[in-house]
Amino acid sequence: MMSSCTKKFLRQLVFYLFWTYTLDLCQSQEQFAGPYRVVVRQIDKCDESGIRQFYFSSTRINKVSRSKYFYSTNVTTETVINDDLAVELDIANFGNGGWKPHFMTLEFDQLCTSMKQTMPVLYKAIVKSVRSDCPFQPGTYEVKDVDMDDLKVGPIMPNFPYGKYRADFYVKKNNVTIGCSRTYADVVPAKRTRPQKKQKTNSI
């Protein structure tokens, strides 16, 4: 049975995909959206981070190959991380020389459950890195070498418009912002997989 946060997310997604599909029909010369991967360029503080009971430090993005990046950071929380927390995602896109806020706004009522459902690969990578599962107790956790290819919302949002984006992740407790992280990223077409060559069979 779907949780309330998943139903709310799906309603927002249906509206979003409707106008995405409409815009896509108008793009006769180039592809507007499709299968994608996220290339994170920079991770920074938000303009407003609330009371800072949840924050990141020593954040690093390591390029390990021409197109692969690993993400490492220290996460400090002064409160228990569980489904009592909510997340608000405010995405801005870049165009005409500047950032356009509120390109997409999503709300997740249950932090842990929502992340498991929408980004299961990333969630498992974080659990493996910190050697703990949700709920996470107060403290500082080292998240090390998370593959950036795991960032996309694969199961629910397999396609996304290509371009430059800025995403603010607000973590809230009882409608009070306790922390925020800002990510700058490019959404680019997914890598094409080469079809495997058929093995030749020798007739006897």
Side-chain angles (χ1 to χ4, degrees):
M1 183 177 292
M2 287 187 183
S3 65
S4 60
C5 62
T6 302
K7 291 180 180 179
K8 186 175 183 180
F9 175 83
L10 289 176
R11 286 196 298 268
Q12 294 170 324
L13 183 60
V14 168
F15 173 77
Y16 161 73
L17 290 179
F18 171 77
W19 63 258
T20 295
Y21 177 72
T22 303
L23 287 174
D24 196 21
L25 291 176
C26 299
Q27 302 295 319
S28 58
Q29 300 298 323
E30 59 179 330
Q31 188 178 11
F32 173 77
Y36 65 98
R37 62 189 182 93
V38 179
V39 181
V40 176
R41 300 299 185 188
Q42 181 183 350
I43 297 176
D44 206 347
K45 296 178 181 178
C46 298
D47 294 335
E48 175 55 56
S49 297
I51 60 177
R52 283 184 58 81
Q53 289 185 347
F54 180 87
Y55 56 90
F56 299 83
S57 60
S58 302
T59 302
R60 305 172 300 283
I61 301 175
N62 299 319
K63 185 175 182 180
V64 296
S65 69
R66 187 171 62 87
S67 59
K68 183 174 285 293
Y69 298 80
F70 281 170
Y71 166 68
S72 299
T73 191
N74 291 333
V75 182
T76 298
T77 175
E78 298 176 8
T79 186
V80 177
I81 304 299
N82 55 22
D83 276 346
D84 291 337
L85 301 184
V87 174
E88 181 179 315
L89 176 61
D90 189 354
I91 300 177
N93 65 330
F94 189 84
N96 297 324
W99 290 105
K100 299 179 180 179
H102 314 310
F103 169 79
M104 182 189 300
T105 301
L106 298 173
E107 296 179 3
F108 303 91
D109 294 332
Q110 299 170 309
L111 190 153
C112 292
T113 298
S114 297
M115 193 168 184
K116 287 179 184 178
Q117 293 174 344
T118 59
M119 292 185 286
V121 178
L122 177 61
Y123 180 82
K124 290 178 182 178
I126 292 175
V127 168
K128 181 179 178 181
S129 181
V130 302
R131 297 183 178 86
S132 179
D133 201 348
C134 192
F136 302 103
Q137 298 302 315
T140 298
Y141 296 87
E142 182 183 15
V143 179
K144 189 174 181 180
D145 294 338
V146 174
D147 192 339
M148 288 298 196
D149 286 343
D150 297 336
L151 284 177
K152 69 177 183 179
V153 189
I156 295 180
M157 195 178 293
N159 299 312
F160 202 87
Y162 305 134
K164 294 183 178 180
Y165 294 92
R166 184 189 70 197
D168 289 347
F169 298 84
Y170 295 94
V171 180
K172 296 189 174 184
K173 183 176 183 180
N174 299 325
N175 293 321
V176 176
T177 299
I178 66 171
C180 181
S181 176
R182 171 171 287 179
T183 299
Y184 295 89
D186 297 338
V187 175
V188 299
K191 302 175 187 176
R192 293 182 179 179
T193 56
R194 295 182 179 179
Q196 293 183 351
K197 295 182 178 180
K198 295 183 179 180
Q199 293 183 350
K200 295 182 179 180
T201 57
N202 296 324
S203 58
I204 298 176

